[in-house]
């Protein structure tokens, strides 16, 4: 196991070492000590390695991730796993705003709560939040799935395209063009798969969730609305 | 962009370290605001006396001229003048007549308020922040976006006794608010939008609102982006705008409540490992009072 102490090594050196790893590296487990909320930790990785961050991370941790597994043992700041392409980011604490923003793929698991704009403009990522999410989450979400075991704040899924949202708790309000939809068997299967992937057992039943998605009324230009432009 | 820090101590044992803790937090926020920095510290106070923090050149001359009523402590470009309450008008009149160049940055029983242009670490060092003690304090690092880099534009702003405010964001209706507040007797020293927010809270509290009630009302009356951290003689409060445009993170332990624009600012605090770290929700007032 490679151990990098950020009290002694710069974050830039850490990221450079991680970026230089070949795809077939044998150094597959990294541990980062004393992160102290520094920004851009383990951002831009492109190798199948695991990076454990032993504390709180700052902004954009695990951003643009491909193939790597990144575990934040504390809280993560703004934009954790933003623009992730593949791999996994697991936050054991809470996540700040814009978790998983614009991410195309991979799995983001947050054990605690995520604050505002979780999954904003998500483009294919799967996000599982074991706590609650803040207001304006899944804003303009285009593709992918967002699973929330707790509650959702105001304006969930505002201007949503084709992402699927599963919420177990209360939704404070739905945003424009976001509606509740029927939870069919195909969705139950999909949801079960996501819960399994996040390490959540049968104690959480898929039937406790409600599904939300796009009403698809904002997709096309309507001449009746011309005066509004 | 700007950086905000705040620290409200619950444990008197930490009071001698307040300034040192605040100085470290302020320095970490340099990246968010390298232009200028400022801070307010609520230290020792005497109910019968008023502390006036003055900013300007040749301050010792003022101390000498007012030597019969005032005691003074000079810190770099600032001086804290302690005067008996009954002499406040006389001292202010003397300043207006003899030293109109001097700015009163803060006034109150316990508040001392310092601000200057420069890197936060330098500003903190010039004023000796790390040796100050107190019960609570608030700091700001500024990256000017709407107006010039001047000491006047630096935070905190104080528009009422023992009150101060720091702001990250920008207000869009500060002109109209200013026109509403000035006839109410709220005076402004600069053209800064954040000073208007401070003045608004001063007005509300003068009309009888508590700090928390004043902030609650501001949600209806202020338009724009804001994260505020506010101090009063006995209180400390945080408010974010309804879409939480600007970042904020807080930590609470049995010994203190701490605020930072980013977690990094809190990372060096004692006992942070065991603190409850949370992000204040938008449009929700968080307030603490000393008893």
């Amino acid at each position: 196991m490679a151990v990098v102490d950020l009290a002694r090594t710069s974050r830039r050196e850490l990221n450079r070492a991680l970026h230089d790893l070949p795809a077939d590296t044998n150094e597959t487990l990294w541990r980062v000590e004393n992160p102290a909320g520094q920004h851009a930790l383990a951002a831009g990785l492109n190798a199948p390695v695991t990076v454990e961050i032993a504390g709180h991370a700052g902004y954009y941790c695990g951003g643009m991730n491909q193939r790597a597994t990144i575990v934040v043992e504390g809280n993560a700041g703004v934009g954790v796993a933003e623009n992730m392409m593949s791999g996994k980011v697991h936050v054991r604490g809470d996540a700040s705003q814009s978790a998983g923003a614009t991410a195309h793929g991979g799995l983001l698991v947050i054990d605690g709560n995520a604050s505002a704009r979780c999954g904003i403009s998500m483009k294919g990522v799967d996000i599982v939040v074991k706590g609650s999410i803040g207001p304006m989450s899944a804003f303009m979400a285009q593709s992918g799935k967002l699973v929330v075991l707790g509650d959702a704040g105001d304006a969930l899924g505002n201007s949503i395209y084709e992402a699927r949202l599963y919420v177990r708790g209360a939704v404070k309000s739905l945003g424009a063009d976001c509606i509740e939809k029927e939870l069919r068997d195909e969705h139950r299967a999909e949801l079960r798969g996501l819960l399994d992937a996040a390490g959540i057992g049968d104690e959480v039943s898929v039937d406790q969730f409600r599904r939300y998605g796009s009403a698809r009324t904002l997709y096309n230009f309507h001449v009746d609305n011309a005066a509004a432009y | 962009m700007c950086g905000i820090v705040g620290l409200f101590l619950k444990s008197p044992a930490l009071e001698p370290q307040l300034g040192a803790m605040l100085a470290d937090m302020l320095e970490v926020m340099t990246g968010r605001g390298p232009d200028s920095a400022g801070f307010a510290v609520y230290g020792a106070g005497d109910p019968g006396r008023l502390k006036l923090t003055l900013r300007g050149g040749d301050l010792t001359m003022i101390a000498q001229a007012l030597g019969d009523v005032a005691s003074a402590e000079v810190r770099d470009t600032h001086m804290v003048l302690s005067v008996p309450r009954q002499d406040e008008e006389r001292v202010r009149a003397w300043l207006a007549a003899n030293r109109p160049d001097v700015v009163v940055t803060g006034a109150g029983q316990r508040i001392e308020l310092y601000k200057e242009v420069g890197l936060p670490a330098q500003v903190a060092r010039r004023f000796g922040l790390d040796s100050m003690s107190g019960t609570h304090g608030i700091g700001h690092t500024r990256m000017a976006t709407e107006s010039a880099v001047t000491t006047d534009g630096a935070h905190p702003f104080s528009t009422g006794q023992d009150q101060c405010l720091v702001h990250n964001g920008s207000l869009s209706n500060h002109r109209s608010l200013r026109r509403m507040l000035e006839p109410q007797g709220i005076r402004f020293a600069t053209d800064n939008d954040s000073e208007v927010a401070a003045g608004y809270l001063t007005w509300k509290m003068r009309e009888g609102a508590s700090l928390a009630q004043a902030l609650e009302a501001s949600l209806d009356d202020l338009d724009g982006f804001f994260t505020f951290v506010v101090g009063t003689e006995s209180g400390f409060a945080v408010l974010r705008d309804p879409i939480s445009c600007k970042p904020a993170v807080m930590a609470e332990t049995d010994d203190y409540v701490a605020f930072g624009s980013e977690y990094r600012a809190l990372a060096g605090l004692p006992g942070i490992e065991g603190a409850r770290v949370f992000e204040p929700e938008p449009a929700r007032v968080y307030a603490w009072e000393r008893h």
Side-chain angles (χ1 to χ4, degrees):
Chain A
M1 181 172 66
V3 178
V4 178
D5 183 353
L6 287 182
R8 287 181 293 171
T9 306
S10 77
R11 170 256 326 259
R12 209 166 272 249
E13 285 174 84
L14 164 70
N15 280 344
R16 190 176 298 129
L18 293 169
H19 294 165
D20 288 346
L21 292 172
D24 59 351
T25 179
N26 287 322
E27 287 184 289
T28 55
L29 180 57
W30 291 66
R31 189 158 177 85
V32 178
E33 293 178 342
N34 295 308
Q38 288 197 58
H39 298 331
L41 295 175
L45 301 198
N46 187 13
V49 298
T50 295
V51 180
E52 297 170 348
I53 296 173
H56 301 313
Y59 291 8
Y60 313 126
C61 177
M64 302 173 284
N65 182 46
Q66 297 184 79
R67 302 198 280 174
T69 296
I70 296 155
V71 181
V72 180
E73 294 177 359
N75 299 337
V78 173
V80 63
E82 55 95 24
N83 219 72
M84 176 160 64
M85 303 303 286
S86 64
K88 181 179 175 183
V89 174
H90 183 181
V91 180
R92 291 208 198 279
D94 295 333
S96 181
Q97 305 193 23
S98 303
T102 74
H104 291 246
L107 175 66
L108 169 61
V109 178
I110 297 161
D111 289 353
N113 302 315
S115 66
R117 293 178 271 275
C118 178
I120 182 172
S121 196
M122 53 194 281
K123 295 179 171 72
V125 67
D126 291 329
I127 304 175
V128 179
V129 181
K130 296 183 187 173
S132 296
I133 59 173
M136 292 158 284
S137 288
F139 175 67
M140 292 190 85
Q142 288 147 60
S143 170
K145 282 89 74 182
L146 171 63
V147 178
V148 183
L149 273 61
D151 302 330
D154 271 322
L156 176 69
N158 196 71
S159 304
I160 187 174
Y161 292 82
E162 287 305 304
R164 284 201 279 275
L165 316 178
Y166 299 99
V167 183
R168 186 167 69 154
V171 173
K172 200 167 176 195
S173 69
L174 291 172
D177 214 32
C178 186
I179 56 170
E180 183 174 356
K181 295 184 159 185
E182 183 191 0
L183 188 73
R184 298 192 299 268
D185 284 345
E186 71 211 71
H187 305 119
R188 288 188 181 89
E190 175 175 86
L191 183 51
R192 188 66 257 166
L194 290 163
L195 293 171
D196 289 345
I200 298 165
D202 288 334
E203 71 278 6
V204 175
S205 160
V206 295
D207 287 311
Q208 296 167 341
F209 288 81
R210 300 168 88 158
R211 180 170 76 101
Y212 304 89
S214 178
R216 302 186 175 115
T217 61
L218 291 177
Y219 270 36
N220 301 304
F221 176 76
H222 288 295
V223 73
D224 292 350
N225 297 334
Y229 293 98
Chain B
M1 185 140 68
C2 289
I4 301 178
V5 297
L7 192 55
F8 176 84
L9 299 180
K10 300 178 187 173
S11 162
L14 282 175
E15 287 176 14
Q17 296 168 51
L18 178 91
M21 290 159 79
L22 205 59
D24 286 346
M25 295 165 78
L26 207 57
E27 184 173 351
V28 176
M29 287 293 96
T30 300
R32 298 190 65 87
D35 298 341
S36 33
F39 55 88
V41 169
Y42 293 82
D46 178 340
R49 296 181 78 84
L50 184 76
K51 285 161 110 177
L52 294 167
T53 310
L54 310 182
R55 189 183 88 231
D58 193 15
L59 295 167
T60 47
M61 163 269 195
I62 298 174
Q64 283 160 6
L66 294 172
D68 56 328
V69 288
S71 61
E73 186 179 7
V74 177
R75 289 178 185 263
D76 200 73
T77 53
H78 289 45
M79 178 171 74
V80 175
L81 207 58
S82 171
V83 303
R85 285 229 172 234
Q86 67 268 23
D87 291 321
E88 178 186 0
E89 286 314 313
R90 192 185 132 204
V91 168
R92 283 187 187 267
W94 186 91
L95 286 169
N98 296 284
R99 291 298 303 272
D101 57 307
V102 164
V103 178
V104 180
T105 60
Q109 185 183 318
R110 298 175 57 218
I111 193 172
E112 296 183 15
L113 199 159
Y114 304 85
K115 50 174 120 177
E116 262 309 345
V117 171
L119 285 170
Q122 290 168 357
V123 173
R125 202 172 306 121
R126 284 169 67 178
F127 295 124
L129 172 59
D130 64 353
S131 64
M132 292 186 194
S133 66
T135 56
H136 51 303
I138 285 168
H140 185 270
T141 65
R142 180 166 189 243
M143 186 182 287
T145 55
E146 312 291 318
S147 55
V149 177
T150 61
T151 308
D152 278 341
H155 301 219
F157 287 101
S158 178
T159 49
Q161 285 202 8
D162 278 316
Q163 297 170 4
C164 75
L165 170 144
V166 291
H167 173 207
N168 179 15
S170 59
L171 300 176
S172 39
N173 65 339
H174 64 100
R175 288 278 158 203
S176 53
L177 278 175
R178 182 186 292 261
R179 283 194 295 274
M180 183 275 284
L181 291 168
E182 278 172 341
Q184 304 291 329
I186 304 294
R187 283 196 293 274
F188 298 101
T190 74
D191 283 333
N192 192 285
D193 59 334
S194 309
E195 191 184 14
V196 176
Y200 174 87
L201 298 177
T202 295
W203 171 64
K204 279 284 173 189
M205 286 190 274
R206 193 189 71 192
E207 300 301 302
S210 67
L211 173 58
Q213 288 165 338
L215 283 164
E216 200 70 55
S218 78
L219 286 165
D220 290 330
D221 291 335
L222 300 188
D223 186 17
F225 304 131
F226 51 87
T227 292
F228 295 134
V229 180
V230 186
T232 63
E233 195 273 321
S234 61
F236 178 84
V238 171
L239 177 66
R240 303 173 81 188
D241 66 63
I243 64 164
S244 53
C245 187
K246 297 295 178 182
V249 61
M250 300 196 70
E252 184 165 15
T253 71
D254 290 342
D255 295 329
Y256 59 80
V257 175
F259 175 97
S261 290
E262 300 174 21
Y263 174 77
R264 284 188 299 151
L266 313 179
L269 291 174
I272 190 71
E273 307 78 21
R276 182 174 77 95
V277 176
F278 64 101
E279 200 161 298
E281 290 176 25
R284 179 172 157 189
V285 175
Y286 293 80
W288 288 264
E289 281 284 334
R290 296 181 61 78
H291 299 294

